[in-house]
Amino acid sequence: MKTIFLVDDSATILLSISGILTKAGYGVEKANNALEALKKFQAGVKVDLLITDLNMPGMNGIDFIKEVRKLPAYRFLPILFLTTESQQTKKAEAKAAGASGWIVKPATADQLLSTIKLVMR
Amino acid sequence: MDEITSVFVTESREQLEAMEAALLQLEDQPTDADILGAVFRAAHTIKGGAGVIECQFLVAFTHVVESALDKLRNGEIAANADLIALLLACSDHMGHLIGVLESGAAAPDDGLRADGDALLARLQRDWLSAEGAQDATPPVAAPDEALESSGGGAVETDCWHISLRFGPDVLKNGMDPLSFLRYLGTLGRIERLETLADAMPPADEMDPEACYLGFEISFASSADKAAIEQVFDFVRDECVLHILPPRSKLADYIQLMMALPEDNMRLGEILVRIGALTQAELDEGLRAQSAGSENAEEDAVPAPLGEILVEQRVVQPELVEAAVVKQKQVTDKKAAEARLIRIQADKLDRLIDLVGELVIAGAGVNLLASRAGHADLTEATSIVSRLVESIRDSALQLRMVQIGETFNRFNRVVRDVSKELGKDIELVISGGETELDKSVVEKIGDPLMHLVRNAIDHGIEAPEVRVERSKPPRGRLELNAYHDSGSIVIEIVDDGGGLNREKIARKAVERGLIQPGHTLSDQEVYALIFEAGFSTVDQVSNLSGRGVGMDVVKRNIQSLRGRVEVDSHEGRGTRFSIRLPLTLAIIDGFLVDAGSAGYVIPLDMVVECMELEAGGGERNYLNLRGEVLPFIRLRELFEIPGEPPRRENVVVVKSAGQKAGIVVDQLLGEFQTVIKPLGHLFRNLRGIGGSTILGSGEVALILDVQALVQIAARDEERSLSYSPGGRSGVAG
């Protein structure tokens, strides 16, 4: 089973997305802040995809992505970020940090799953 | 309400509180990036969540607020008092909308909607109008008409032609080129595909982690261009992508070949090979191209290049780094706060209930064990009861929440109310980390609100008056919380005019609350303000002072098994102290009996126990090491029939600094008490705070020590000042 790591400070988003993912047969790991998530990555959590929010208190998503990319085990991990900001700057910044792509919130289950399918090996 | 919605409602309320707190901070530090970020994030999170649960009215409203906050955050507009006031109003409105969602209504009613529209109109007009809120529509892929060109007939093919050159970083960004092709395959059929590795450098120069691949694809699909482009959305910025619709003009293909990095001849061959062009079309196109190159190059070629080629955009690393350092400083603290598990309150309540049952059942086992007189069994059960006690404490701890959140709400209240009254008041909060039972926290909000408003309205004077009285013009209101022997104390302290003793006493006489000429201590006079229908304010303001209130405050607090006291110095200020039990569910009790029934006295309040010396007579006080200790006899108070035993006991209890004795038949020792509330019928009963079930299954009443102490004190006073014998019973 493919495992997706989901990071968002919003409990609503965590709950809804993890619901969709679980129903679609993915394993889901969750964290509500980047630092906690980063700790799990540093500990070598086994995941096939990381989905993270950008705008979070504490460490923001962009720094988080950079930190994850620095870890050798996750150099090629697909990373999607959640955004509602369609501004290119945020996307460019996140891409520069090493993100693979993005999901625009709120996404329907179909949109979410097809995006995941696109980036998942 | 489904689970997601209820999570959303809870979360949004928290976010709104955070937003409000940040907005208030913004008044002092209007340009602080962290605060601006926090405000934005709160609105952003609410909007995100609202989108997920498809609460359109909330999304629509919050979107505009978010746009304004975004501008604020980006420095496009500057925060001033007007904007902050407007945003606060917006956050209130969001609160109302969340209330609508919570109530299950499909949409806000007309009044609320009109309010919202008015707020949005103000935001749009005053803060967003110049630039308009265009960011509502995301930038859409360039429309098809981009491919309009000069000359040449259409190419005979029903397939799209896609030229794709991946950027070197695709793999490093966690993307697999193949997955795009697979995904493209879901939109139609890849007829032919040619892989170009022309960009691949010699082996010794090659970076094995870079991608050098390009593809020429012939693609049959009924999808439109935007949909096909969207497939490559994630790599658009770093790859070269050209999409030619079916039956594009020959010239477009030629332009494409010119735009691509590879050699024209080689590209031409590939196009022919994958069936995009025929050899004849290619030859014709190339000939036309070279012929018209002098003048065509200027207009035709550069335009589509600019159109289609998206230049690589990389943000300057310095900028990002600077932001990182700043973010890191706040990171560590906040992460600690965020390490929480959210669970539903009723699950906790269920657990507490079960623990309560466990405690009762444990008491039953203990009783049996001690009756059996089996030493090992007693030993074992005592271990079990110790564990049960720990479990009880841990379980109750789960319900504990910090009072800080409740306190912080008052920042806004103080700000708004003091503005309204033209006063300048600083709110100082301390002890926000003090924990108490969640249900207590929920219910203490209203009484606190009343006391705070009272302090602002009647307590703290207007700046001019304060200056006259040689006080600083800025008033000070303190909210403190701390633990004190098994209870939590919340204080509301102001440095205002204080209570006017004479005025209160006069009023009390007018209202018939006290007899004229009756001497009362300061404490007693101040306590009169909690009597029903008492108000000394001549002018009724719209905030408080309507004569209802303080008695309600007192009742509310009493219903939480708490009490409120007031202390005041005229001209210097007033201090209200609310003393509350830590929990409403389980307490350590002291079991006594009178007649054949058991009674429980909360252990926190028990000071000592002693035997009542025979011959106390009619007197209702005894000499406790030189101190006068008033007491009451439970037998008399509850009119228990039968003769008292030869030896009676006195439990010395202390409540609010006052000591009193309770005379009982027997002392039965400590007892974990699961509080069962009394029925509605007994709500007005004084002297009894609740009931509990003993290990034997019998019911015992829990004594309301505070009320008993008052009864004892009053009885004693009456018997001294009037005539003996007039003892009050349990008044209904």
Side-chain angles (χ1 to χ4, degrees):
Chain A
M1 185 172 62
K2 300 269 188 192
T3 304
I4 298 177
F5 202 113
L6 188 58
V7 188
D8 197 309
D9 58 321
S10 160
T12 312
I13 303 274
L14 277 186
L15 189 64
S16 74
I17 295 188
S18 65
I20 295 170
L21 298 182
T22 316
K23 218 178 273 173
Y26 293 107
V28 182
E29 288 255 5
K30 285 184 281 192
N32 65 5
N33 71 81
L35 281 179
E36 189 189 317
L38 187 57
K39 273 199 197 121
K40 295 207 176 157
F41 277 92
Q42 281 160 346
V45 63
K46 225 188 109 11
V47 292
D48 300 289
L49 169 67
L50 165 62
I51 301 179
T52 177
D53 192 18
L54 288 186
N55 214 323
M56 291 183 284
M59 177 182 270
N60 69 39
I62 290 178
D63 293 342
F64 172 54
I65 293 173
K66 278 192 195 161
E67 292 300 320
V68 171
R69 276 281 178 253
K70 279 187 200 159
L71 302 169
Y74 306 105
R75 292 193 58 192
F76 302 104
L77 175 76
I79 301 178
L80 292 175
F81 56 91
L82 294 164
T83 175
T84 55
E85 294 153 292
S86 39
Q87 293 114 313
Q88 288 298 327
T89 48
K90 260 274 151 61
K91 285 185 183 169
E93 219 179 304
K95 292 278 304 185
S100 315
W102 56 86
I103 294 166
V104 177
K105 297 188 280 194
T108 64
D110 284 349
Q111 286 165 341
L112 183 71
L113 293 173
S114 75
T115 308
I116 288 171
K117 221 180 264 167
L118 167 61
V119 296
M120 193 88 101
R121 306 256 158 81
Chain B
M1 197 162 42
D2 61 29
E3 192 190 356
I4 292 190
T5 308
S6 94
V7 166
F8 171 73
V9 167
T10 315
E11 172 174 46
S12 306
R13 294 220 188 277
E14 282 165 16
Q15 292 291 346
L16 274 184
E17 267 169 40
M19 180 168 160
E20 192 176 292
L23 280 171
L24 292 173
Q25 278 180 304
L26 214 52
E27 288 195 317
D28 296 329
Q29 298 146 278
T31 56
D32 188 301
D34 285 347
I35 301 175
L36 288 168
V39 180
F40 175 81
R41 192 163 49 236
H44 182 73
T45 304
I46 294 173
K47 189 182 112 176
V52 167
I53 59 160
E54 295 177 347
C55 177
Q56 285 315 323
F57 57 86
L58 189 53
V59 174
F61 184 84
T62 313
H63 175 74
V64 182
V65 176
E66 187 196 17
S67 308
L69 291 174
D70 193 32
K71 282 191 188 303
L72 196 56
R73 185 176 65 152
N74 296 332
E76 291 168 48
I77 52 179
N80 62 18
D82 283 350
L83 179 57
I84 292 172
L86 181 56
L87 289 172
L88 280 170
C90 288
S91 91
D92 287 347
H93 187 73
M94 282 155 69
H96 297 321
L97 293 179
I98 291 166
V100 170
L101 173 69
E102 197 176 19
S103 73
D109 62 32
D110 292 344
L112 199 54
R113 195 170 319 131
D115 291 349
D117 290 347
L119 287 170
L120 292 188
R122 272 174 65 196
L123 263 186
Q124 289 283 9
R125 188 187 64 220
D126 299 343
W127 303 98
L128 294 167
S129 58
E131 296 84 358
Q134 295 147 332
D135 55 346
T137 45
V140 203
D144 286 15
E145 82 267 19
L147 293 168
E148 179 199 323
S149 72
S150 52
V155 171
E156 283 302 313
T157 165
D158 290 333
C159 288
W160 293 79
H161 181 79
I162 301 169
S163 294
L164 185 61
R165 304 289 180 273
F166 279 105
D169 285 339
V170 165
L171 296 166
K172 287 180 192 158
N173 284 344
M175 300 296 290
D176 184 349
L178 184 59
S179 59
F180 288 99
L181 301 180
R182 263 205 318 258
Y183 194 76
L184 183 65
T186 62
L187 289 183
R189 200 170 63 251
I190 296 177
E191 295 285 349
R192 298 217 186 132
L193 182 141
E194 197 75 19
T195 306
L196 285 90
D198 296 42
M200 184 86 76
D204 53 342
E205 286 170 31
M206 194 190 93
D207 174 0
E209 292 180 359
C211 176
Y212 301 100
L213 297 180
F215 299 95
E216 293 293 324
I217 304 159
S218 176
F219 183 55
S221 168
S222 54
D224 61 6
K225 188 172 181 206
I228 297 175
E229 264 179 342
Q230 218 178 0
V231 173
F232 302 99
D233 231 8
F234 294 166
V235 288
R236 274 285 282 292
D237 290 357
E238 59 245 52
C239 79
V240 177
L241 174 68
H242 299 252
I243 300 172
L244 292 183
R247 273 181 264 285
S248 285
K249 303 239 166 68
L250 181 55
D252 296 332
Y253 282 93
I254 301 305
Q255 274 172 21
L256 171 65
M257 286 165 56
M258 305 308 262
L260 290 171
E262 288 87 3
D263 175 71
N264 280 353
M265 286 313 292
R266 171 152 165 66
L267 277 174
E269 276 169 32
I270 289 167
L271 289 178
V272 172
R273 207 178 320 147
I274 67 171
L277 297 175
T278 62
Q279 188 63 45
E281 282 169 336
L282 176 66
D283 291 346
E284 185 196 333
L286 284 177
R287 211 166 34 244
Q289 173 69 22
S290 56
S293 63
E294 280 98 55
N295 46 18
E297 232 163 284
E298 274 159 27
D299 46 333
V301 178
L305 257 183
E307 186 84 47
I308 306 166
L309 266 178
V310 186
E311 50 180 54
Q312 297 216 2
R313 254 188 248 197
V314 183
V315 174
Q316 290 89 333
E318 305 89 57
L319 280 182
V320 181
E321 285 306 322
V324 171
V325 174
K326 197 151 191 312
Q327 285 274 4
K328 280 232 168 84
Q329 293 164 348
V330 274
T331 297
D332 301 344
K333 192 184 96 225
K334 294 210 173 137
E337 290 167 15
R339 221 171 291 136
L340 298 170
I341 302 176
R342 208 181 284 267
I343 46 171
Q344 279 167 332
D346 48 359
K347 285 190 190 163
L348 261 190
D349 291 344
R350 173 92 188 112
L351 177 67
I352 305 275
D353 278 354
L354 284 174
V355 171
E357 297 299 324
L358 185 61
V359 167
I360 293 171
V365 173
N366 273 343
L367 191 72
L368 290 177
S370 66
R371 272 193 206 149
H374 194 299
D376 288 350
L377 182 60
T378 318
E379 176 75 21
T381 52
S382 76
I383 293 172
V384 171
S385 11
R386 209 169 52 236
L387 287 174
V388 168
E389 224 166 288
S390 313
I391 291 174
R392 176 201 69 178
D393 290 345
S394 314
L396 288 177
Q397 192 60 40
L398 292 178
R399 286 183 57 93
M400 295 294 186
V401 294
Q402 299 192 346
I403 193 153
E405 220 173 284
T406 310
F407 275 2
N408 288 335
R409 289 217 312 259
F410 290 104
N411 277 316
R412 174 75 183 280
V413 175
V414 170
R415 172 191 174 276
D416 287 356
V417 176
S418 58
K419 262 197 184 151
E420 196 177 314
L421 298 172
K423 293 180 181 178
D424 186 12
I425 297 172
E426 173 191 22
L427 177 67
V428 182
I429 291 174
S430 62
E433 70 289 344
T434 312
E435 293 187 323
L436 72 168
D437 196 277
K438 185 165 164 50
S439 51
V440 179
V441 169
E442 278 163 5
K443 287 178 190 142
I444 200 64
D446 285 349
L448 265 187
M449 178 70 80
H450 201 92
L451 291 174
V452 166
R453 286 184 161 228
N454 247 325
I456 304 171
D457 199 8
H458 309 313
I460 295 176
E461 313 93 329
E464 314 84 65
V465 182
R466 290 180 63 87
V467 172
E468 253 170 52
R469 294 182 181 172
S470 56
K471 290 185 191 177
R474 182 163 216 202
R476 183 181 163 96
L477 183 63
E478 286 175 42
L479 282 175
N480 308 324
Y482 55 89
H483 284 295
D484 181 41
S485 60
S487 28
I488 177 175
V489 180
I490 301 173
E491 292 180 333
I492 301 102
V493 186
D494 69 60
D495 67 347
L499 296 173
N500 185 328
R501 196 193 134 99
E502 301 312 314
K503 210 166 159 188
I504 294 171
R506 210 165 49 234
K507 198 91 167 191
V509 172
E510 264 171 44
R511 304 263 155 118
L513 295 170
I514 53 170
Q515 304 288 330
H518 197 128
T519 351
L520 293 173
S521 71
D522 284 357
Q523 282 289 330
E524 287 165 319
V525 173
Y526 296 145
L528 288 170
I529 62 170
F530 293 110
E531 294 297 322
F534 189 94
S535 172
T536 61
V537 180
D538 311 318
Q539 191 194 347
V540 172
S541 82
N542 69 342
L543 290 168
S544 48
R546 280 172 297 239
V548 293
M550 291 308 255
D551 59 320
V552 178
V553 168
K554 188 178 185 186
R555 257 213 316 279
N556 283 345
I557 292 170
Q558 280 177 339
S559 74
L560 293 170
R561 298 198 298 116
R563 57 179 185 269
V564 55
E565 285 157 25
V566 56
D567 188 20
S568 179
H569 293 280
E570 195 161 356
R572 299 230 307 273
T574 309
R575 171 188 305 264
F576 286 93
S577 308
I578 300 172
R579 191 173 275 270
L580 295 165
L582 277 179
T583 171
L584 298 176
I586 305 177
I587 56 168
D588 278 317
F590 187 73
L591 187 62
V592 297
D593 85 8
S596 55
Y599 298 89
V600 174
I601 302 169
L603 193 63
D604 303 325
M605 303 190 167
V606 175
V607 182
E608 60 182 308
C609 302
M610 55 200 275
E611 198 169 303
L612 182 67
E613 284 168 37
E618 283 302 303
R619 277 283 143 80
N620 287 325
Y621 63 88
L622 55 85
N623 180 344
L624 177 71
R625 293 183 291 273
E627 224 180 291
V628 174
L629 182 77
F631 63 75
I632 44 169
R633 295 168 190 271
L634 270 196
R635 277 181 169 274
E636 290 180 8
L637 185 68
F638 294 136
E639 294 170 14
I640 298 165
E643 276 301 300
R646 206 160 45 81
R647 283 179 169 180
E648 287 179 289
N649 289 287
V650 185
V651 180
V652 181
V653 293
K654 189 174 177 181
S655 165
Q658 267 186 309
K659 276 187 188 172
I662 300 173
V663 179
V664 300
D665 293 359
Q666 276 192 79
L667 308 174
L668 299 173
E670 279 182 42
F671 170 69
Q672 284 191 64
T673 311
V674 180
I675 300 177
K676 303 277 178 190
L678 289 175
H680 198 68
L681 191 60
F682 306 107
R683 207 182 42 184
N684 293 321
L685 214 54
R686 287 193 61 204
I688 294 176
S691 63
T692 189
I693 299 167
L694 302 177
S696 59
E698 284 168 52
V699 172
L701 296 174
I702 300 169
L703 299 180
D704 177 353
V705 170
Q706 186 195 0
L708 292 180
V709 168
Q710 278 172 2
I711 292 171
R714 197 183 309 152
D715 281 3
E716 186 54 29
E717 196 175 287
R718 268 192 210 157
S719 67
L720 290 176
S721 53
Y722 302 108
S723 61
R727 191 165 299 135
S728 79
V730 186

